[in-house]
RNA sequence: UGGGGCGUCGUCAAGCGGUAAGACACAGGAUUUUGAUUCCUGCAUCCGGAGGUUCGAAUCCUCCCGCCCCAA
């Protein structure tokens, strides 16, 4: 009764090593590469890895849903003056969904990826825990997963460090691309250029104003800036300016000083919870307002309609609508939601 | 064309006879499975122009050019 698993192979070391670990643990491994329609060399790497490690390799073309659910969303958010997080949406709507679909179709028991996160069975169902390597923890990108996904998931890399993974990868002579990864469908990391080549109507140039309303510069379309941004504003001053807010209605970008970025809390919508439910009372947890954020103690107050109000113990900078806020209790990810806006004091 | 002030890196700005600080901006890199942030490095052989004084000037003198005030 050998257990079988479908590993999402991306072409990088992480997923390759995940497959290796599973093989060593005695799983019957098959690999799946999700072709998103944005040609990259990674598909060849993925095939080479499967070939080298000797397991069946499948390719599934998910170009259409990827374009519709991820790329269109990505562009739409920027045009609306928000800061999208395509990886989170992709994980929920594309990556893990199709991985599970294919596992079902192929008759495989589990699915696995190279994420740095852990799944554990608790008394209230499956729990999603931070990876042991705190610096590489990727649970932030997984907050929308639920019990159904977690029940099928294995994260072999979650209890290892990146250094250990690299070592195994090197030992296996896995073809390694460059380590840095940007948005997978924008290889040159130039999202502004990508938007400009995407079939959408871009916002026109407009004014950059300070907190007093004075015009201090010009922007080349609100989609070219994001909350918290400093570089590229082209405003010479005694101190740097940061983007505080994007006003699509007036087509203005509001900038201010470093301290103006501080917020006491935020409102988030479309929340989801790992356990499937959340108490209707306020509770305390550690809030993370972006990937690799150090986290801040906060009081979370659930509101109607899957919304929450979050108050920070200490003010936080650069709250960006469109980004996700997630909540932890220790190493356990409780859930999260999408940032709608910040508030400075109540 | 009477009086006064000022002209130093794209911007702001130190320096006031001893051989061009700093900040912002900008560029490149590092970090990063989102966007930012952060970090590192680079960035005026030259101080509006031309002469002069001096061992030596952005710093003193002369003239010119350009701004800005005040008064006509």
């Amino acid at each position: 009764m050998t257990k079988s698993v479908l590993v999402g192979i991306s072409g990088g070391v992480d997923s390759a090593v995940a497959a290796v670990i599973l093989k060593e643990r005695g799983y019957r491994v098959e690999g799946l590469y999700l072709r998103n329609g944005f040609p990259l060399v990674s598909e060849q790497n993925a095939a080479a890895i499967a070939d080298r490690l000797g397991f069946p390799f499948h390719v599934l073309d998910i170009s259409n849903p990827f374009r519709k659910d991820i790329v269109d969303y990505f562009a739409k958010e920027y045009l609306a003056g928000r800061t999208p997080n395509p990886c989170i949406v992709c994980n929920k709507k594309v990556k893990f969904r199709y991985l599970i679909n294919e596992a079902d179709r192929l008759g495989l028991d589990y699915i696995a990826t190279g994420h740095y996160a852990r799944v554990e069975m608790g008394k209230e169902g499956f729990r999603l825990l931070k990876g042991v390597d705190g610096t590489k923890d990727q649970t932030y990108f997984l907050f929308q997963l639920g019990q159904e996904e977690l029940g099928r998931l294995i994260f072999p890399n979650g209890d290892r460090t990146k250094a250990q993974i690299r070592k195994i990868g090197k030992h296996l002579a896995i073809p390694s691309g460059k380590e840095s990864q940007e948005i997978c469908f924008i290889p040159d990391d130039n999202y502004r250029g990508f938007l400009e080549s995407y079939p959408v109507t871009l916002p026109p140039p407009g004014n950059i104003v300070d907190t007093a309303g004075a015009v201090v510069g010009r922007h080349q379309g609100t989609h070219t800036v994001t909350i918290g941004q400093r570089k590229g504003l082209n405003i010479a001053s005694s101190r740097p300016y940061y983007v505080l807010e994007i006003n699509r209605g007036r087509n203005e970008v509001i900038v201010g000083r470093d301290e103006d970025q501080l917020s006491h809390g935020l409102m988030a919508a479309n929340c989801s919870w790992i356990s499937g439910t959340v108490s209707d009372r306020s509770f305390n947890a550690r809030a993370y307002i972006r990937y690799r954020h150090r986290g801040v103690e906060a009081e979370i107050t659930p509101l109607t309609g899957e919304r929450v109000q979050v108050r920070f113990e200490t003010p936080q900078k650069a709250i960006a609508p469109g980004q996700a806020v997630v909540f932890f209790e220790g190493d356990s990810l409780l859930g999260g939601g999408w940032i709608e806006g910040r508030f400075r004091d109540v």
Side-chain angles (χ1 to χ4, degrees):
Chain A
M1 59 167 290
T2 306
K3 291 291 187 181
S4 56
V5 58
L6 181 64
V7 184
I9 302 294
S10 70
V13 264
D14 291 341
S15 55
V17 171
V20 171
I21 294 171
L22 289 169
K23 282 195 79 167
E24 286 175 353
R25 284 187 194 162
Y27 284 88
R28 182 164 66 78
V29 172
E30 297 196 18
L32 175 67
Y33 176 83
L34 294 172
R35 182 187 291 153
N36 67 8
F38 292 83
L40 297 172
V41 291
S42 59
E43 181 169 344
Q44 296 154 36
N45 283 351
I49 287 165
D51 184 57
R52 167 157 187 88
L53 300 180
F55 55 74
F57 181 65
H58 311 277
V59 174
L60 180 65
D61 192 304
I62 44 110
S63 299
N64 288 331
F66 187 79
R67 188 175 187 86
K68 176 174 158 295
D69 290 330
I70 309 306
V71 187
D72 282 355
Y73 144 82
F74 177 80
K76 203 184 78 188
E77 286 286 280
Y78 266 118
L79 298 192
R82 287 189 293 270
T83 308
N85 192 319
C87 293
I88 294 176
V89 179
C90 176
N91 282 336
K92 176 65 180 180
K93 292 191 173 179
V94 178
K95 188 175 289 178
F96 289 101
R97 169 176 296 176
Y98 288 99
L99 222 32
I100 288 174
N101 282 173
E102 282 301 286
D104 288 345
R105 196 177 65 78
L106 295 166
L108 302 172
D109 301 316
Y110 297 101
I111 62 166
T113 65
H115 284 90
Y116 288 83
R118 291 173 292 156
V119 177
E120 195 177 270
M121 186 59 187
K123 54 183 181 295
E124 288 171 34
F126 294 101
R127 302 203 304 158
L128 184 56
L129 307 175
K130 283 184 183 178
V132 165
D133 188 339
T135 63
K136 299 298 291 184
D137 174 54
Q138 291 168 323
T139 43
Y140 178 80
F141 294 105
L142 305 171
F143 89 88
Q144 290 193 301
L145 298 185
Q147 291 293 305
E148 187 188 351
E149 287 103 335
L150 297 185
R152 294 289 294 281
L153 257 173
I154 303 172
F155 292 130
N157 297 359
D159 50 10
R160 309 197 182 217
T161 64
K162 181 72 180 188
Q164 291 175 308
I165 300 299
R166 280 213 192 88
K167 194 174 172 187
I168 298 172
K170 193 171 183 179
H171 184 63
L172 292 166
I174 285 165
S176 63
K178 60 176 189 298
E179 188 53 46
S180 284
Q181 203 152 327
E182 52 287 311
I183 300 173
C184 72
F185 53 92
I186 307 178
D188 64 359
D189 204 20
N190 178 4
Y191 81 83
R192 295 159 181 96
F194 179 83
L195 288 174
E196 276 150 21
S197 67
Y198 206 64
V200 288
T201 305
L202 299 170
N207 287 331
I208 298 178
V209 303
D210 64 18
T211 50
V215 176
V216 292
R218 295 282 292 172
H219 65 75
Q220 294 307 305
T222 56
H223 62 289
T224 63
V225 302
T226 186
I227 305 296
Q229 180 177 324
R230 165 182 173 172
K231 298 284 182 184
L233 298 177
N234 234 301
I235 306 170
S237 179
S238 57
R239 295 172 59 204
Y241 274 113
Y242 296 85
V243 173
L244 261 34
E245 193 183 323
I246 294 169
N247 187 325
R248 278 299 299 126
R250 302 184 58 164
N251 195 40
E252 284 182 345
V253 170
I254 295 99
V255 297
R257 303 307 188 179
D258 196 27
E259 62 273 17
D260 295 325
Q261 299 195 94
L262 292 169
S263 302
H264 292 87
L266 58 80
M267 302 298 291
N270 296 315
C271 295
S272 60
W273 309 94
I274 297 297
S275 70
T277 58
V278 66
S279 86
D280 48 13
R281 294 185 167 198
S282 293
F283 61 95
N284 294 318
R286 197 164 183 84
Y288 294 71
I289 58 173
R290 66 174 68 83
Y291 178 54
R292 288 172 63 234
H293 183 218
R294 60 185 304 181
V296 58
E297 292 306 315
E299 179 183 61
I300 294 92
T301 305
L303 307 172
T304 56
E306 310 306 326
R307 298 175 71 240
V308 296
Q309 180 195 71
V310 181
R311 280 195 66 82
F312 308 132
E313 186 177 87
T314 54
Q316 300 297 304
K317 290 179 184 175
I319 310 293
Q323 291 288 292
V325 57
V326 306
F327 311 112
F328 277 89
E329 192 175 78
D331 278 351
S332 178
L333 176 63
L334 303 176
W338 296 93
I339 297 173
E340 287 186 314
R342 64 156 171 165
F343 55 81
R344 305 204 62 174
D345 215 330
V346 173

